[in-house]
């Protein structure tokens, strides 16, 4: 028997484990953006020995909060069930930390920019052009947390491949170098929707209705994302060089 402990869209606790009769099949459910406040409420629940899985529906959120949740998911070897959507920080940290992942039919999983990969890129190019210095400094903390979380696994390499698969990277030079606001980063595409081989490479079995082609992928993501959101389907086997500035229209 499963007990669902739901957290609201804003991370407000809608249920409690106190006084409940639990068993190893207990599932904690989280719906909504990943925030520091939400993580603060979620972590004690995930730490309960009776909890075996996290059922999540989230478009992402704060990277540090997601990493904190992911660390508990990893240390407790919890299962993660994708209940509709797991995008951005949800996929890049929580999903990749799970012992196993179940993607419910009709659910979407998507990756995009991570501070770890952005830090690697900025560090790589900072000697060629000092404008990358502020960007490298701003992303350094989250990059370090990510490296500790996935050290010794193939997940760091995957995050970098995902990052480059988004297409040419352009930097808004307006405030590059200012540590407080090191400029905006733009990509040719906004999301990488993994194809079936990519999911299996991460140890995730795709649901039966997972798209097989770009055309199917376009229809598949329509209920979740705006129709004009640019995306790539699967990892693109090409490294795009970062350039100081260019024009990408979304």
């Amino acid at each position: 028997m499963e007990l669902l402990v739901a957290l609201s869209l804003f991370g407000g606790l809608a249920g409690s484990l106190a006084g409940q009769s639990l068993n190893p099949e207990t599932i904690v459910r989280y719906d909504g953006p990943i925030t520091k406040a939400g993580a603060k409420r979620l972590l004690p629940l995930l730490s309960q020995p009776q909890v075996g899985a996290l059922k999540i529906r989230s478009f992402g959120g704060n990277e540090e909060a997601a990493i904190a949740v992911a660390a508990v998911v990893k240390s407790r070897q919890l299962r993660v069930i994708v209940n509709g959507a797991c995008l951005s920080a949800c996929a890049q940290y929580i999903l990749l930390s799970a012992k196993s992942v179940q993607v419910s039919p009709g659910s979407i999983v998507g990756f995009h920019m991570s501070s770890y990969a952005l830090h690697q890129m900025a560090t790589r190019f900072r000697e060629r052009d000092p404008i990358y210095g502020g960007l490298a400094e701003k992303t350094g903390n989250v990059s370090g947390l990510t490296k500790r979380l996935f050290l010794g696994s193939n997940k760091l390499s995957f995050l970098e491949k995902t990052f480059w698969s988004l297409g040419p990277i352009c930097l808004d030079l307006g405030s590059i170098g200012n540590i407080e606001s090191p400029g905006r980063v733009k990509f040719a595409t906004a999301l990488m929707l993994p194809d079936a081989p990519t999911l299996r490479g991460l140890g995730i079995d795709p649901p039966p209705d997972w798209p097989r082609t770009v055309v199917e992928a376009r229809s598949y993501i329509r209920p979740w994302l705006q129709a004009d959101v640019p995306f790539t389907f699967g990892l693109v086997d090409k490294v795009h060089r970062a350039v100081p500035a260019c024009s990408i229209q979304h």
Side-chain angles (χ1 to χ4, degrees):
M1 182 171 129
E2 297 180 350
L3 171 67
L4 300 184
V5 181
L7 291 136
S8 75
L9 180 64
F10 301 102
L13 190 59
S16 173
L17 298 187
Q20 301 287 348
S21 177
L22 307 180
N23 57 60
E25 293 303 311
T26 298
I27 294 174
V28 172
R29 177 178 169 184
Y30 189 93
D31 296 331
I34 301 169
T35 64
K36 290 184 178 180
K40 186 176 180 180
R41 293 178 172 87
L42 180 60
L43 291 177
L45 302 180
L46 295 181
S47 299
Q48 296 292 322
Q50 303 94 329
V51 171
L54 169 64
K55 190 173 188 177
I56 192 165
R57 173 188 172 116
S58 177
F59 281 75
N62 182 274
E63 286 187 289
E64 292 183 0
I67 290 171
V69 173
V72 174
V73 168
K74 181 181 179 181
S75 66
R76 296 225 46 244
Q77 299 186 53
L78 299 179
R79 296 183 296 115
V80 168
I81 303 166
V82 179
N83 181 38
C86 185
L87 304 175
S88 187
C90 175
Q92 287 158 193
Y93 304 110
I94 298 174
L95 206 68
L96 295 185
S97 298
K99 178 182 179 181
S100 63
V101 175
Q102 176 187 335
V103 181
S104 302
S107 298
I108 184 174
V109 172
F111 301 83
H112 69 118
M113 179 187 69
S114 70
S115 285
Y116 170 78
L118 185 56
H119 181 77
Q120 305 310 305
M121 181 273 290
T123 301
R124 183 183 308 173
F125 289 103
R126 72 189 305 172
E127 293 184 1
R128 301 183 188 179
D129 195 322
I131 65 172
Y132 293 96
L135 201 56
E137 180 140 358
K138 179 150 188 170
T139 55
N141 181 58
V142 173
S143 176
L145 293 173
T146 306
K147 190 172 182 179
R148 286 194 289 274
L149 179 66
F150 294 130
L151 193 63
S153 73
N154 68 338
K155 306 302 170 54
L156 293 175
S157 173
F158 172 76
L159 289 176
E160 284 204 72
K161 289 178 181 177
T162 296
F163 179 86
W164 292 111
S165 290
L166 297 175
I169 297 168
C170 307
L171 303 180
D172 180 349
L173 297 180
S175 55
I176 291 290
N178 181 338
I179 294 176
E180 294 301 318
S181 179
R184 294 180 301 159
V185 182
K186 302 178 183 179
F187 297 90
T189 55
L191 178 79
M192 191 281 283
L193 180 72
D195 54 15
T198 300
L199 283 178
R200 293 192 184 98
L202 295 170
I204 302 172
D205 289 329
D209 61 341
W210 197 256
R212 295 164 294 178
T213 66
V214 174
V215 173
E216 291 181 0
R218 189 172 292 113
S219 298
Y220 192 85
I221 69 173
R222 192 167 293 140
W224 298 105
L225 302 174
Q226 296 178 359
D228 59 348
V229 170
F231 71 96
T232 57
F233 184 49
L235 290 172
V236 178
D237 189 20
K238 180 179 179 181
V239 173
H240 297 279
R241 177 172 177 169
V243 295
C246 61
S247 176
I248 291 181
Q249 300 296 325
H250 285 313

